[in-house]
Amino acid sequence: PDIIHCNNVATLSFVVGWFAHKMRIPSVVKYGGEWVWETLSSLKLRTANLEQLHEESFLARLLWKIERKGLSYFNAIWVPSEYRAIGVEKIIGNRDNVHIIKNSMDLPPGGSHDLQPGDPYIVLTASRIIPHKRVPLIIEAFHSLGDPKAKLVILGEGQEEEKSKARARELNIESQVIFTGKLFGEKVYDEFKKASVYVSASLEEGFPNVFVDAMHFGLPVISSDVGGCKEMVHDGVNGYLYEPFDVAALKTRLKELSTNRELRNRMAKKSFDSSTQYDLNITINQFMEMYKQAQIHLSKSLK
């Protein structure tokens, strides 16, 4: 091949990067998610401070060494946000071959819709249902609305799905909480079109693609202020950010957009306007330039 492109950081990507390095083939890897964090999340990781994790966990330090070596094989590293660029710099010590290209989406026609008096308030979240996504916390925040007509739609599946369902039963709102499992294509878009607001309680995000979906369909985004979320959600404009362990703030913001329809509708329009920068046609040229730079980097390294 003329170039090898690995679309995520994973053990297999490191093997492919090593192969490309040995065969002198230009290679690119996307650093979209924190590999060490993702690997350790199955151990019910609870800290939001990656530096603290690095200091306290021998396994984390070992994985970071593997990650540093794996990334060193690639001629270009694609990151979707400034936050991820900083993360790569911490790992490998420089940003020489780091390229910031925002994730882009090829989505059907979108737009915002106004929430009218009497319309049900539909809260949407979409992710793997795993510990650091904190879906049970979203269920608790939804319960605080005290609105029997409201609905919480949870797209996705994962190891904490049964725990999340049990939490809904404990709070006696199981009839209002809908678990869709994995959906694809138009079925996903249908859920976004019907929703009123999007919520995330994640402890770690680099550039959540699902925010682009939410904004494209005019949903204000209420998100924990972690990682690259602040590069997408502008507090008070197209949604709200809250400190990740400030549960009261999450509940307050969720309630505010349910009772103040005018504010919610205004944010919905701003959210849709924000989504236009993630159009696929805008980023194509940036990708072609990154591939050229990867080839140039390989040529220089061989001299």
Side-chain angles (χ1 to χ4, degrees):
D2 295 306
I3 196 159
I4 291 176
H5 182 134
C6 293
N7 213 41
N8 70 324
V9 174
T11 306
L12 179 59
S13 298
F14 299 152
V15 174
V16 172
W18 172 84
F19 173 81
H21 176 73
K22 291 297 183 183
M23 298 298 293
R24 299 183 177 182
I25 302 171
S27 60
V28 173
V29 65
K30 178 184 179 183
Y31 186 87
E34 171 49 59
W35 179 66
V36 176
W37 180 284
E38 293 284 346
T39 303
L40 296 179
S41 65
S42 60
L43 303 178
K44 301 188 184 298
L45 189 66
R46 292 303 180 197
T47 178
N49 188 319
L50 293 179
E51 286 74 19
Q52 179 183 349
L53 177 67
H54 183 261
E55 292 172 1
E56 297 179 358
S57 170
F58 169 78
L59 180 57
R61 292 194 296 274
L62 175 62
L63 292 176
W64 258 301
K65 287 182 179 180
I66 295 172
E67 188 173 40
R68 183 183 299 113
K69 185 63 177 178
L71 291 175
S72 72
Y73 294 128
F74 292 91
N75 305 115
I77 301 173
W78 162 34
V79 296
S81 65
E82 173 63 22
Y83 172 74
R84 285 300 187 218
I86 293 172
V88 171
E89 186 174 9
K90 287 180 179 179
I91 294 170
I92 64 176
N94 63 75
R95 296 172 60 161
D96 297 345
N97 300 318
V98 176
H99 301 258
I100 301 177
I101 304 176
K102 293 179 179 178
N103 285 345
S104 54
M105 309 285 279
D106 188 13
L107 296 169
S112 63
H113 69 276
D114 286 347
L115 199 60
Q116 303 295 335
D119 288 348
Y121 188 60
I122 301 176
V123 180
L124 177 68
T125 190
S127 70
R128 291 168 295 156
I129 308 178
I130 56 178
H132 79 262
K133 298 294 184 180
R134 302 195 299 175
V135 172
L137 177 60
I138 295 175
I139 294 172
E140 292 176 24
F142 172 79
H143 173 257
S144 71
L145 290 174
D147 181 358
K149 295 182 180 179
K151 297 287 185 184
L152 171 60
V153 179
I154 300 171
L155 276 67
E157 59 185 20
Q159 67 191 71
E160 287 209 330
E161 184 171 347
E162 289 307 316
K163 177 182 177 180
S164 301
K165 289 179 178 178
R167 188 64 184 134
R169 287 193 296 270
E170 291 170 5
L171 296 171
N172 199 29
I173 54 172
E174 55 194 299
S175 63
Q176 295 178 255
V177 181
I178 302 166
F179 290 82
T180 68
K182 273 191 176 180
L183 297 179
F184 300 93
E186 288 300 324
K187 290 183 178 180
V188 175
Y189 305 143
D190 286 344
E191 296 298 339
F192 278 88
K193 290 174 184 176
K194 292 184 291 186
S196 310
V197 64
Y198 186 87
V199 176
S200 171
S202 180
L203 285 175
E204 202 279 336
E205 293 289 348
F207 184 102
N209 284 345
V210 70
F211 285 14
V212 178
D213 291 295
M215 292 189 292
H216 181 71
F217 292 104
L219 300 184
V221 177
I222 302 174
S223 171
S224 49
D225 187 4
V226 295
C229 294
K230 66 179 64 178
E231 297 177 45
M232 305 177 73
V233 180
H234 305 292
D235 193 52
V237 179
N238 62 350
Y240 285 119
L241 296 168
Y242 64 93
E243 291 301 314
F245 294 105
D246 190 351
V247 179
L250 168 58
K251 293 178 179 179
T252 298
R253 295 309 191 187
L254 194 59
K255 183 88 169 179
E256 183 178 8
L257 293 186
S258 74
T259 55
N260 191 337
R261 301 295 172 101
E262 182 180 345
L263 174 63
R264 180 267 164 204
N265 294 341
R266 187 165 63 247
M267 282 190 171
K269 291 181 176 63
K270 291 291 186 180
S271 194
F272 175 67
D273 291 343
S274 301
S275 71
T276 57
Q277 62 185 301
Y278 306 112
D279 187 276
L280 180 63
N281 295 315
I282 295 175
T283 59
I284 287 176
N285 291 333
Q286 293 174 303
F287 276 106
M288 296 309 297
E289 179 60 27
M290 178 176 65
Y291 294 147
K292 290 177 183 176
Q293 292 300 318
Q295 293 171 324
I296 292 171
H297 178 263
L298 176 63
S299 297
K300 288 181 177 179
S301 67
L302 295 176
K303 291 180 180 179

